[in-house]
Amino acid sequence: MTAGTSPSPARTAVDGPHVLVRTEGRAGLLTLNRPRAINALTHPMVLRIDEALTAWEDDPAVETVVIQGAGERGLCAGGDIRAIHDDARAGGTATLGFWRDEYRLNARIARYPKPYVAFMDGVVMGGGVGVSAHGSVRVVTERSRVAMPETGIGFVPDVGGTYLLSRAPGELGTHLALTGEAAGAADALLTGLADHFVPSEDLPRLAEELTRAPAHEVLPRFARQAPPGRLAAARDWIDAAYAADTVEEIVDRLLDSGVPAAKETADTLLTRSPTALKVTLAALRRARRTDSLEAVLDMEFRLSHTALSSADLVEGIRAQVVDKDRDPHWTPPTLAEVTDADVARYFAERDLPKIR
């Protein structure tokens, strides 16, 4: 393994490899090391993580894997969407190769035979959810902001996000998927995206202890009660509205509920890509009926393949990340103009590699 740094995310070097890999005591330590980009994932980073997991899987000296992010801002803000934007504009295929290997890594993390401990501190979005929330031990802090914000850039939740969110209690996952709202610690625990709350100041000591003892012995000494969240109190209006069969009806129910927060949510939905909203709702419903994460990832790969050639993905990233005018012009611009055929096109069977 290559030389690394202290297990503390705050003290990790900002230069050198974008994934720092080291072993210490009983643990294999992975540190995503692009702090200026909130550790956004690139294709080589995905391959490096997979390579480390391969080396450690049969290594009896490694009992636990820990993944964390460099810097103070978060574990991972997702994939490198500027690179995706440029590839999509050029009509390239590099992004498909990235997604294929990323989704395979997500599936591998879910079935990894050793404890895989993810420090979901700070920003954890998109691909950051993929390398953490499929793990067997998921730790959030008071700084955690866990989200699948894809509908805001004309995309759909991927990296197994539809699988995870479709299994949240009631319609909470539907709410998070369509709005892209970030879940704090308590809400991540409530929705099944995390397992334990640990104050951020304790993470360095937790990482150190995991190099000496098994995770199931260490975590109880660090886990605390999370500060109150927001979703539990909103469960009634969320469940009532999002149980609807169409996005249009969801919006109508939110507007008619008489709850100010519900109206604000409807207003938020109407800023998202209409096509992405309808495809996401259909994907969540399908994922809920599918037992296999790999099968859901296969579905998401088809969705991503279609999205890569859509106008909305390029426009959404332009508006949110490139020009930052926050004024995307969606095609088509309204929910009513997105047809059933438009949605079905995303789910069409294609000759694509399977996520296994």
Side-chain angles (χ1 to χ4, degrees), residues 154-165:
F155 195 42
V156 295
D158 64 337
V159 298
T162 61
Y163 180 89
L164 293 165
L165 292 174

Side-chain angles (χ1 to χ4, degrees), residues 232-251:
R235 177 80 186 271
D236 287 347
W237 63 260
I238 286 175
D239 285 355
Y242 289 94
D245 292 331
T246 67
V247 179
E248 291 93 331
E249 188 178 352
I250 288 171
V251 172

Side-chain angles (χ1 to χ4, degrees), residues 204-249:
R205 195 158 53 92
L206 172 57
E208 185 178 356
E209 288 294 317
L210 287 169
T211 69
R212 300 172 182 167
H216 71 270
E217 294 180 6
V218 172
L219 262 298
R221 301 202 298 268
F222 287 86
R224 301 289 183 267
Q225 182 72 35
R230 297 186 297 174
L231 291 182
R235 177 80 186 271
D236 287 347
W237 63 260
I238 286 175
D239 285 355
Y242 289 94
D245 292 331
T246 67
V247 179
E248 291 93 331
E249 188 178 352

Side-chain angles (χ1 to χ4, degrees), residues 47 68 134 159 173 209 229 257 278 314 321 326 350:
L47 296 176
Q68 57 195 344
H134 295 297
V159 298
E209 288 294 317
S257 71
K278 288 197 172 184
V314 171
V321 178
R326 308 291 191 265
R350 296 177 180 82

Side-chain angles (χ1 to χ4, degrees), residues 234-319:
R235 177 80 186 271
D236 287 347
W237 63 260
I238 286 175
D239 285 355
Y242 289 94
D245 292 331
T246 67
V247 179
E248 291 93 331
E249 188 178 352
I250 288 171
V251 172
D252 288 343
R253 290 186 185 188
L254 291 169
L255 291 172
D256 293 342
S257 71
V259 179
K263 181 183 183 305
E264 292 173 8
T265 297
D267 292 340
T268 296
L269 290 177
L270 293 174
T271 69
R272 305 306 192 227
S273 160
T275 300
L277 288 174
K278 288 197 172 184
V279 174
T280 296
L281 182 62
L284 288 166
R285 300 294 191 250
R286 292 191 184 204
R288 187 177 286 173
R289 300 190 299 268
T290 305
D291 293 334
S292 162
L293 170 62
E294 286 83 357
V296 173
L297 286 165
D298 284 336
M299 176 191 73
E300 291 178 351
F301 195 35
R302 293 197 301 275
L303 304 181
S304 300
H305 183 278
T306 303
L308 188 64
S309 61
S310 73
D312 275 6
L313 179 60
V314 171
E315 172 62 9
I317 298 175
R318 179 207 64 77

Side-chain angles (χ1 to χ4, degrees), residues 66-78:
V66 180
I67 187 167
Q68 57 195 344
E72 298 286 351
R73 298 169 68 192
L75 171 67
C76 176

